[in-house]
Amino acid sequence: MATFSDVLRLGVELPEVVESTSYGTPALKVRKKLVCRMWGEREYNRDDVHDTEVLVLFCELEIKQVLLDNHPDVLFTVPHYDGYGAVLVRMADVDLDDLADWIEDSYRLRAPATLLRQLDAD
């Protein structure tokens, strides 16, 4: 089971990622732009998600369905995110290698080009 501590440990390896909050929940940001965040208490008022914490990650809208289809036990979405490039991660079921990849992908969508060049150079 992954926790936000794992998300933080993986995320701060990326240039200029800092721990922050979003909607009162733990989050990672790069230059004040959200990279990912934990679901808040108000979002857990659902019958279908009650046994795990949930992380919101950004993805390209064009590959969202592919991600969901390839990882149905880990990734999901809700109507709130229809038409939006974001997926939800069941933290109880995620593999840490996949989590690291998805955090980096989310970062790449949010970070400025200068930081992406720095990341690619490292």
Side-chain angles (χ1 to χ4, degrees):
M1 170 185 257
T3 66
F4 186 75
S5 294
D6 297 309
V7 172
L8 180 60
R9 178 178 50 80
L10 296 167
V12 297
E13 294 178 2
L14 301 167
E16 295 190 32
V17 167
V18 296
E19 183 177 12
S20 187
T21 60
S22 176
Y23 299 105
T25 65
L28 297 181
K29 292 183 179 177
V30 58
R31 293 196 183 167
K32 300 184 181 180
K33 290 183 98 176
L34 187 63
V35 173
C36 62
R37 72 171 181 89
M38 298 300 292
W39 248 13
E41 186 176 314
R42 66 181 169 79
E43 294 160 307
Y44 283 105
N45 294 328
R46 306 177 52 82
D47 292 333
D48 55 342
V49 182
H50 54 80
D51 60 343
T52 183
E53 290 187 303
V54 175
L55 180 71
V56 180
L57 285 169
F58 296 99
C59 66
E60 292 187 36
L61 183 56
E62 297 77 24
I63 67 162
K64 178 178 181 173
Q65 193 58 53
V66 172
L67 288 169
L68 294 169
D69 290 345
N70 288 339
H71 304 278
D73 296 333
V74 178
L75 300 179
F76 69 102
T77 191
V78 295
H80 177 75
Y81 293 104
D82 286 352
Y84 189 69
V87 293
L88 304 170
V89 181
R90 292 178 51 81
M91 296 296 281
D93 301 319
V94 70
D95 174 86
L96 289 180
D97 290 333
D98 287 339
L99 183 61
D101 289 343
W102 295 331
I103 291 170
E104 182 176 330
D105 291 345
S106 186
Y107 173 86
R108 287 181 175 280
L109 292 173
R110 310 298 285 181
T114 54
L115 294 182
L116 296 180
R117 285 192 295 273
Q118 179 182 339
L119 177 64
D120 291 338
D122 290 344

